[in-house]
Amino acid sequence: MSKPIVSYKQSHIEDQWDVIVIGSGPGGLGAAAVLSKEGKRVLVLEQHYVAGGFSHVFKRKGYEWDVGLHYIGEVHQAHSMARKMFDYVSNGQIEWAYMGEVYDRIRFGDDEYALQAGNENFRACLKEWFPEEEQAIDAYIQLVIDTTRAFRNYMAEKATPKLISSLAGRRMRKPFEEIAQKTTLEVLQSLTQNKRMIGVLCGQYGDYGLPPGQSSFGMHAILVRHYFRGGSYPIGGASVIADTIAKVIQENGGQVVTKANVVRIEVVNKKVKGVTIADGRTIHAPIVISGAGFINTVQHLLDPETAASSKLLKPSQKIDRSAAHVCLYVGCKQTAEALKMPRSNHWLYPTDDHDENIARYLDDRTEALPLTYISFPSAKDPDWTNRYPGRSTIQAITLAPYDWFANWEGTRWMKRGDEYL
């Protein structure tokens, strides 16, 4: 029988575990579930007051919003790899609602481009919008497919025995590495000079965070291919992902704990010994998996001597932090049906030059927003009306550099003063 996820102070946690996972995002929870099903006793430590990372939700006065999970591709197909992975780590407890024929709508002013599910539907729409670019469209779709196939080999090499990797590893990695080292814009401009078509093809760049002139085409291709067959949303809201995976961990002898602030990964003679919590307690395990991010893990969770000796410190200092954003959460006192909210997401841009849009905005924040992503979670979730009858929600997201808010670093929520507000 699984237990509710409770806070660190409310939990009885043993001193010794097989594996400790820092962070309860989907990556941390997924790793913990796999290991627990393979017989390991796993402890998941989350510093936030709710588990789930970007798959958690927050609630205010009878409303609920997801904070990061807006749609997932392929899971509506029972035999897809994505569906099989979710079924495995959740014991098949997550149900999915298909978003329908159109999953994303790309807009430049009054011009809209509705992305339709299915490779051939996607291809046909592109050729209808850009009839003079048929050859480039076919080449683009094939390149996306070929890149994702190369990525599978690239990842498979990581799991091969050392002997096989030494013999075939470079050959398995090379095709993806070569294309991934090129920017999305560089690759697309080798196929077409049609700026509007490039703008449409990169209309989902917000899903991976960087505009075409800065992003890796490898990342672009993986994301685009993931949604070729459409998108789905978890029935019951994004939080069911963390809730169901946590149950699997608990049912296999593991534990998921919130408000557990890990301050250090303990390493002695180059061997991991466990973690230390903010209250000074050390919990022991021979394996520690950090889902706190590479920079946080190396620069904050390892002591400086260990970080330097592991040859990880310098690489962590060269990596730029990911793009920051602000989000507007809207609650409506009517149903999604009454307000005719769509299930598809909307991507709004001032022009089709994504890199130039961002450059103007960063130079002058009174310029047009370079990107506005609008999502309607209450329209995507068939169970919404059972939980929140007569209500609905909207989310709108845009980019906002962290530097704009750096003056308030270390201050507390609701206590940052009038200038911040």
Side-chain angles (χ1 to χ4, degrees):
M1 176 68 70
S2 61
K3 302 175 183 177
I5 300 172
V6 296
S7 70
Y8 173 68
K9 289 184 178 180
Q10 295 175 311
S11 303
H12 171 71
I13 302 174
E14 296 179 18
D15 288 331
Q16 187 70 46
W17 295 82
D18 296 330
V19 182
I20 294 174
V21 176
I22 304 170
S24 67
L29 286 175
V34 170
L35 289 167
S36 67
K37 292 184 75 167
E38 293 298 318
K40 300 291 186 182
R41 292 180 65 254
V42 185
L43 172 65
V44 180
L45 299 172
E46 168 60 53
Q47 71 169 349
H48 195 34
Y49 62 80
V50 61
F54 266 179
S55 69
H56 84 260
V57 302
F58 77 95
K59 302 175 183 180
R60 295 284 190 278
K61 299 179 180 179
Y63 294 97
E64 174 184 300
W65 296 270
D66 53 50
V67 300
L69 188 147
H70 308 302
Y71 59 153
I72 294 181
E74 300 184 351
V75 288
H76 57 281
Q77 296 183 308
H79 299 295
S80 70
M81 182 59 72
R83 175 62 174 272
K84 288 178 180 179
M85 289 192 293
F86 271 108
D87 283 350
Y88 183 73
V89 297
S90 72
N91 283 345
Q93 297 175 79
I94 303 174
E95 297 181 281
W96 303 93
Y98 185 52
M99 288 170 59
E101 163 179 294
V102 175
Y103 53 97
D104 277 327
R105 296 178 184 274
I106 315 299
R107 292 183 65 94
F108 306 103
D110 293 331
D111 297 336
E112 179 178 283
Y113 301 85
L115 303 187
Q116 293 192 19
N119 289 26
E120 296 312 310
N121 290 334
F122 181 69
R123 188 193 309 270
C125 287
L126 286 173
K127 290 183 177 181
E128 181 180 341
W129 300 328
F130 308 104
E132 72 284 3
E133 298 288 343
E134 286 197 10
Q135 186 174 348
I137 290 166
D138 288 337
Y140 168 77
I141 292 174
Q142 189 59 51
L143 185 57
V144 166
I145 293 170
D146 291 344
T147 300
T148 54
R149 285 175 178 162
F151 178 65
R152 293 190 192 111
N153 286 337
Y154 176 84
M155 294 303 294
E157 189 269 338
K158 307 296 181 186
T160 58
K162 288 185 177 180
L163 176 61
I164 296 177
S165 178
S166 66
L167 295 173
R170 188 172 183 277
R171 190 164 64 250
M172 294 174 72
R173 296 190 304 268
K174 186 178 178 182
F176 181 74
E177 286 178 343
E178 286 182 344
I179 193 72
Q181 288 170 4
K182 297 179 180 179
T183 68
T184 304
L185 186 60
E186 181 182 359
V187 172
L188 293 182
Q189 285 181 338
S190 72
L191 300 176
T192 178
Q193 294 301 306
N194 190 313
K195 291 185 178 180
R196 175 53 59 93
M197 189 170 92
I198 291 174
V200 171
L201 295 178
C202 297
Q204 299 161 293
Y205 83 80
D207 278 339
Y208 51 80
L210 291 173
Q214 300 178 44
S215 60
S216 161
F217 181 78
M219 182 65 246
H220 170 87
I222 294 166
L223 186 284
V224 169
R225 179 67 180 84
H226 178 69
Y227 290 116
F228 266 179
R229 297 187 180 98
S232 297
Y233 193 77
I235 298 174
S239 63
V240 303
I241 292 176
D243 292 342
T244 54
I245 298 176
K247 287 180 182 178
V248 171
I249 296 166
Q250 293 168 339
E251 288 167 357
N252 287 279
Q255 205 167 344
V256 180
V257 177
T258 59
K259 294 187 179 180
N261 183 14
V262 175
V263 295
R264 188 168 58 255
I265 298 172
E266 298 295 341
V267 180
V268 179
N269 295 327
K270 298 185 179 181
K271 290 188 176 182
V272 171
K273 298 297 181 181
V275 301
T276 296
I277 310 296
D279 64 2
R281 180 185 177 187
T282 297
I283 305 174
H284 302 279
I287 299 173
V288 173
I289 297 173
S290 175
F294 181 58
I295 294 174
N296 285 336
T297 301
V298 175
Q299 297 183 11
H300 301 296
L301 296 181
L302 295 178
D303 68 71
E305 184 178 342
T306 300
S309 65
S310 68
K311 299 181 181 179
L312 297 174
L313 186 58
K314 286 186 178 179
S316 77
Q317 294 169 335
K318 294 179 180 179
I319 298 175
D320 291 332
R321 293 190 178 275
S322 57
H325 66 276
V326 290
C327 186
L328 174 66
Y329 296 102
V330 180
C332 305
K333 293 181 178 178
Q334 294 185 62
T335 65
E337 184 179 15
L339 295 173
K340 298 181 180 179
M341 290 182 183
R343 288 175 290 174
S344 55
N345 308 305
H346 289 240
W347 299 85
L348 314 182
Y349 301 100
T351 76
D352 52 32
D353 190 330
H354 300 299
D355 289 273
E356 182 60 30
N357 290 337
I358 289 179
R360 282 198 304 267
Y361 179 62
L362 294 181
D363 186 56
D364 179 2
R365 74 180 76 176
T366 66
E367 282 282 341
L369 298 177
L371 152 68
T372 306
Y373 169 85
I374 304 178
S375 175
F376 308 88
S378 48
K380 300 175 192 175
D381 180 8
D383 186 61
W384 174 273
T385 54
N386 295 327
R387 306 194 312 278
Y388 304 101
R391 298 197 171 192
S392 56
T393 56
I394 308 170
Q395 292 167 212
I397 303 173
T398 193
L399 299 176
Y402 179 73
D403 290 347
W404 293 356
F405 305 91
N407 288 342
W408 294 275
E409 186 170 350
T411 60
R412 297 184 63 186
W413 178 57
M414 300 299 289
K415 298 183 183 296
R416 294 180 179 133
D418 292 339
E419 187 181 358
Y420 177 85
L421 293 177

